[in-house]
Amino acid sequence: MRYANNSQYKSDTLIRKEVYVNDIVLEEVKRIIKESEILKEDDKEWPQPDKVGRQELEVVLGNEHISFTTSKFGSFSEVRSSKDPEGLTVFYYLLQDLKCLVLSIISLHFRVRFIDCNNPFVYRLSLCKHEKIEIKC
């Protein structure tokens, strides 16, 4: 799983993170994408990228391959006032869900090693072939 952020905010450099995930995580990503119904959308009526920035999403799911590009949104009202508010809303919420999942996994992978909260419930998350993270909560 890869994450790239090229915000250009205050001349920032490109931020790249990559983690290996197991099949359970991949199945969850597929489920999120399928349930969003983004594959039914088309970005031809969406705002074109401008000097403020761009957002891109490329989905390869089985035999389906689709790519979306639009400008960055300052607020949800920009989404609602676009030429295709329904399609852009699907895109907007899908990106929120995927960012949350990906950034959580990356954060766990690069920061969390072990938490002991004196609780009997144990969750294990395998993020790559050679590393397992155990979290007690």
Side-chain angles (χ1 to χ4, degrees):
M1 182 177 291
R2 291 184 191 137
Y3 169 79
N5 184 341
N6 192 11
S7 70
Q8 299 294 324
Y9 178 73
K10 293 187 178 181
S11 300
D12 265 350
T13 59
L14 178 66
I15 299 167
R16 287 185 185 191
K17 299 285 184 180
E18 182 174 335
V19 295
Y20 293 93
V21 296
N22 62 21
D23 291 340
I24 295 169
V25 175
L26 290 177
E27 288 304 316
E28 182 62 13
V29 171
K30 288 179 190 177
R31 185 194 64 77
I32 291 169
I33 292 169
K34 286 177 185 175
E35 285 186 9
S36 76
E37 298 186 339
I38 192 71
L39 298 173
K40 296 178 181 177
E41 301 301 331
D42 189 337
D43 65 354
K44 65 181 168 200
E45 294 292 322
W46 297 359
Q48 293 298 308
D50 54 19
K51 64 181 179 179
V52 174
R54 69 189 296 129
Q55 297 182 93
E56 298 178 33
L57 175 66
E58 183 176 15
V59 178
V60 180
L61 198 58
N63 292 331
E64 297 184 73
H65 183 192
I66 193 161
S67 182
F68 300 98
T69 304
T70 188
S71 63
K72 284 200 172 195
F73 313 122
S75 67
F76 188 67
S77 63
E78 291 177 36
V79 171
R80 297 305 310 157
S81 63
S82 71
K83 292 180 183 178
D84 180 16
E86 290 80 21
L88 214 46
T89 298
V90 170
F91 179 79
Y92 178 86
Y93 283 120
L94 175 60
L95 277 188
Q96 296 286 32
D97 290 346
L98 291 175
K99 279 186 204 176
C100 182
L101 177 65
V102 169
L103 293 176
S104 294
I105 289 171
I106 288 172
S107 178
L108 280 170
H109 181 74
F110 287 100
R111 294 188 188 116
V112 175
R113 290 297 176 247
F114 184 76
I115 299 172
D116 184 359
C117 304
N118 297 319
N119 195 312
F121 297 102
V122 177
Y123 298 93
R124 288 186 179 93
L125 181 59
S126 295
L127 295 177
C128 64
K129 293 178 183 176
H130 306 293
E131 182 175 1
K132 289 190 185 219
I133 295 174
E134 184 173 278
I135 302 172
K136 289 185 178 183
C137 305

